[in-house]
Amino acid sequence: MLPASPGLVSALVLAAVLAALVGALVWRNRPRAGATALSVDLFAVAVWAGGQAMVFVTTPVRPALTWQTVALAGTAVTPVAWLAFSLQDTGHDEVLTQSRLAVLSAVTVAFVALAVVAPTPLVYVDPAATGAGRLTFAWGPAMIGYSLLGY
């Protein structure tokens, strides 16, 4: 990954702050249909964007890998929360039972746990420093599988 421009990092930080602020505003309206799921989704996007911004400004490999895992946690929560919000907001929340939500969440928790416990070689094949401020990540089989599941 090449060093990020200040504009990209600023955009990621702005996205994180805005997502957190809007998530807090939505959280205050929890009695409305889908508000809780939308706020969880927005907080996950804030974690995702903030973690990705930190990846771009962190030079050593180990801390950058840690921030990439934080960003990955945000990306992992987002699809489940968005599905829950979509179904609740459209009045089809009976499709997403507690057991189905638990299964979807279990996959997400297992993937994030795998990224925390053993990020290489299953999630990232070779996070290697390639020079001053440069870091590359190659997706491992778990990341590819989880991305396919998300689509």
Side-chain angles (χ1 to χ4, degrees):
M1 182 178 305
L2 295 175
S5 68
L8 176 61
V9 173
S10 298
L12 286 168
V13 169
L14 180 63
V17 169
L18 287 176
L21 287 174
V22 173
L25 289 173
V26 171
W27 183 259
R28 293 176 51 179
N29 293 311
R30 283 189 312 263
R32 294 191 174 171
T36 301
L38 180 60
S39 63
V40 168
D41 185 50
L42 287 165
F43 290 134
V45 168
V47 168
W48 177 3
Q52 199 61 49
M54 291 302 296
V55 168
F56 283 123
V57 298
T58 305
T59 305
V61 174
R62 295 307 305 166
L65 185 59
T66 300
W67 283 113
Q68 184 67 34
T69 303
V70 168
L72 185 68
T75 62
V77 172
T78 299
V80 176
W82 185 256
L83 176 65
F85 163 70
S86 300
L87 291 173
Q88 290 170 0
D89 191 51
T90 57
H92 293 60
D93 52 337
E94 72 278 353
V95 174
L96 192 62
T97 63
Q98 285 186 342
S99 59
R100 289 178 183 160
L101 185 61
V103 168
L104 290 172
S105 298
V107 172
T108 297
V109 168
F111 179 68
V112 172
L114 179 65
V116 169
V117 173
T120 56
L122 295 175
V123 179
Y124 303 112
V125 176
D126 185 26
T130 58
R134 295 182 181 183
L135 186 66
T136 58
F137 286 97
W139 284 12
M143 185 69 171
I144 292 169
Y146 190 77
S147 296
L148 290 173
L149 176 69
Y151 286 104

